[in-house]
Each structure stands twice: as structure tokens, then as C-alpha cells.
Amino acid sequence: MSKGALWVGSDTYPLRNIARTSMKQLVPDRAKAKTEFVKKLVLHLVLVFAGLGFMSASTFVGLLLLAVGAGLIARSFHRLQQVLNAPTLYVLEITTSGSPQTALTSDDQGLMDKVFQQVMEAMDNPEIQFRYEMPTYNISSGDNIYQFGDNNTGKVTR
């Protein structure tokens, strides 16, 4: 925050153009992830047992089905762990009087509450200045993006 403007990376938001700010929480849906894992596990186990059944008729087909089933189970388990280990994210959403919107996201609730309060104070007093260094996430093609919660407003990359 400097000279009556909020700077987010190379983007500038003049305080007079900020129409609304809000704080939101993005909580990973761990219950849904567990349910999806169990559903997929049942299907993948059918594949594994089919592979075991084919072992007497054709060792190659049996081993192939076993390997594919085991690989799918491992992948499903990995995805489950990603959701279970994902932190709750705290989002400071900034909407300007035009259509642009930006969000600052962190897993540090205390930091986000502090930034939110200081932005609110700066809107009342544009002379206030403060600076925070926050990690940035550059999303390019090929990155995996996982979104959590209804009305997704934030993204976390892994």
C-alpha cells in the first residue's frame, strides 16, 4: 500500500476504485474426497480381482489387470492425500468499481486478517503505507490446479 494505491505484484488498484473487499475461507472438502476414494477403490479392486481370476487362463492378461488396478489405486490414494493434506486457505478478495477483481490467498489466517484490516484503514486514510512479501504462484499450462469449496475464488498449485 503506497500513495493511495494497493499494489499486488505489478497490478495497481487505486483506493478510490475499490468497491468491495471481503475475506473468505476455502476449506478442502475432505469428506467428499474420502467418499470419492472409497467409490473408486471398490471399482479398482474389482479390476485387481479380475486380474487374479485371469491368472489361471492367461498370466499376461492377469498381470496386466493387476498392474493397472494397483496403479489406479495408488493414483487415487495420492489424490486423496493431496486433499487431506491441503491447508485451509484464507482469501482477501478485492473488487474494483470496474470489472477487475483480484485475490490475495494465504494459509496464514493471522496475516490475512492483518492485511484486510490495514486495507480497510487505508481506504479511510490513504496516507497509510505498508508492505508485505507474500509467495506468488505462477500458473502456466501443464500445472495441476486444485480448487476447493463452493464458488471457488482461490487456487492452490501442487
Side-chain angles (χ1 to χ4, degrees):
M1 182 68 64
S2 172
K3 299 179 184 174
L6 175 64
W7 293 77
V8 179
S10 61
D11 297 332
T12 306
Y13 300 90
L15 289 176
R16 66 184 177 279
N17 291 351
I18 295 177
R20 179 167 109 28
T21 59
S22 62
M23 286 291 295
K24 295 185 178 181
Q25 255 185 357
L26 298 178
V27 181
D29 192 345
R30 294 176 175 95
K32 181 180 177 185
K34 290 175 187 175
T35 302
E36 290 296 317
F37 173 74
V38 170
K39 287 178 187 177
K40 289 179 181 180
L41 181 63
V42 169
L43 293 173
H44 301 329
L45 285 175
V46 167
L47 193 61
V48 168
F49 287 124
L52 290 173
F54 270 101
M55 289 294 260
S56 59
S58 171
T59 305
F60 175 75
V61 172
L63 287 175
L64 182 63
L65 289 174
L66 278 173
V68 169
L72 290 172
I73 289 171
R75 186 180 80 175
S76 295
F77 183 74
H78 176 70
R79 288 183 175 175
L80 172 67
Q81 290 304 309
Q82 284 181 317
V83 175
L84 294 179
N85 294 328
T88 297
L89 298 176
Y90 304 92
V91 179
L92 170 59
E93 203 173 61
I94 300 165
T95 306
T96 62
S97 53
S99 58
Q101 180 172 323
T102 193
L104 298 173
T105 306
S106 174
D107 59 355
D108 184 345
Q109 184 179 14
L111 172 64
M112 294 309 291
D113 286 340
K114 190 174 182 179
V115 171
F116 178 74
Q117 291 302 321
Q118 287 191 314
V119 168
M120 294 295 97
E121 288 176 23
M123 290 175 79
D124 288 336
N125 181 3
E127 299 303 314
I128 290 178
Q129 294 189 24
F130 61 89
R131 178 184 174 97
Y132 291 100
E133 295 288 328
M134 299 179 76
T136 52
Y137 299 97
N138 294 317
I139 300 171
S140 60
S141 61
D143 287 343
N144 292 325
I145 301 170
Y146 300 97
Q147 295 182 319
F148 305 105
D150 294 336
N151 303 317
N152 293 307
T153 57
K155 298 177 183 170
V156 63
T157 59
R158 297 253 181 230

